[in-house]
Amino acid sequence: MEKDKHLGLRIDSETHEKLRSLSEFEGRSINGEVLYLIRQAILQHEQTHGKLN
């Protein structure tokens, strides 16, 4: 079984504050919101360009 991966991410204070506000509005943790946004971007890409590996 593969373990979850860790991804360090550096963002500026303004972006972090906006991400925090967005995640609170959506009822998610910041980590949960980032994962949601990444998955949405992947889904949109795959719908346009086909399945990724």
Side-chain angles (χ1 to χ4, degrees), residues 17-52:
E17 182 58 28
K18 289 180 179 184
L19 180 59
R20 186 193 59 75
S21 294
L22 178 60
S23 66
E24 285 180 6
F25 180 82
E26 296 293 340
R28 298 182 182 101
S29 66
I30 291 177
N31 188 73
E33 187 66 22
V34 169
L35 285 173
Y36 173 79
L37 294 169
I38 291 170
R39 288 176 180 141
Q40 289 300 108
I42 291 169
L43 180 62
Q44 287 177 351
H45 178 86
E46 287 184 332
Q47 287 174 345
T48 302
H49 302 286
K51 209 72 160 143
L52 294 167

